[in-house]
Every structure is written in C-alpha cells, then in structure tokens.
Amino acid sequence: GGTDTHLALIDLRGVDVTGRDAEQRCDAARITLNKNSIPFDPAKPMVASGVRVGTPSVTTQGMGAGEMKEVASLIGRAVRADVGTDAGRAEAAQLAEEVSALVAKFPAYPAPSA
C-alpha cells in the first residue's frame, strides 16, 4: 500500500531472488540499491532476502510520481534479469540504456541559466 518514508524495504522471497543477487543485477543495469535483511530473515546477512530502496536522490533531481513508476518497473526488470546468462546480460545492458536516458532528463547538476 505504500510507505510513509523515503525508504522501502522489499522482501524478494516471492520472486526467488536473494538480496545479494538483486543488488548485483541492479548494479549491472546502473541502478544503485543495496541488499538488506528483512524482519526475521531466514538468509544470512551477507546474502539477505531483501533490498532497500531510497528515493531522496531522484526526487531531489526533480522526478515525480510518473518517474517513480518507471523506476519501479526498471528495478523489477533488473531484479529478474539473471546476469549469469546471455539473455540476462543483454537485458541488463538494455536497462542500463533506459536508466541513462531517464537520468539524463533530470541532471543532478543542471547547467546554470544565463
């Protein structure tokens, strides 16, 4: 249903991906997040069953609700892209291009106006 903070802790057990794998897959797609233990996590801390996602950097850059939906979709696709396979690496490369295009619309350091 949502969150009242700028952070979300996402349990990945339902998609059968560890937090460590999700972190690596997202990194390959140029998405920064980190593995994180979930409450009562059955996995070891260095593996984890979840990821932690924060929104401060993208909202500071001016992204809004529409972009957040796109970011969520990109993360979901990246988490499912098994970069241990050729198809997964190709998907990660495609995602990296999409991430770069989105980020380019919202530069962290916009050029000063004349």
Side-chain angles (χ1 to χ4, degrees):
T3 180
D4 293 329
T5 71
H6 65 280
L7 292 172
L9 179 57
I10 303 167
D11 183 345
L12 297 172
R13 292 177 298 171
V15 293
D16 200 29
V17 175
T18 67
R20 178 173 55 195
D21 287 344
E23 180 180 53
Q24 291 170 345
R25 293 172 182 190
C26 286
D27 186 53
R30 303 194 68 206
I31 298 168
T32 302
L33 51 69
N34 66 292
K35 68 181 177 290
N36 207 97
S37 294
I38 59 171
F40 309 105
D41 200 333
K44 294 181 179 183
M46 293 307 293
V47 175
S49 295
V51 291
R52 183 179 64 183
V53 179
T55 61
S57 67
V58 293
T59 57
T60 298
Q61 289 173 239
M63 292 188 195
E67 290 81 22
M68 291 301 104
K69 288 180 182 180
E70 186 174 353
V71 168
S73 174
L74 291 165
I75 291 170
R77 289 170 52 203
V79 165
R80 289 172 176 83
D82 183 354
V83 294
T85 67
D86 288 340
R89 285 188 293 277
E91 174 70 358
Q94 173 63 39
L95 285 163
E97 289 180 22
E98 292 177 43
V99 167
S100 294
L102 176 60
V103 171
K105 296 177 192 175
F106 298 90
Y109 301 101
S113 29

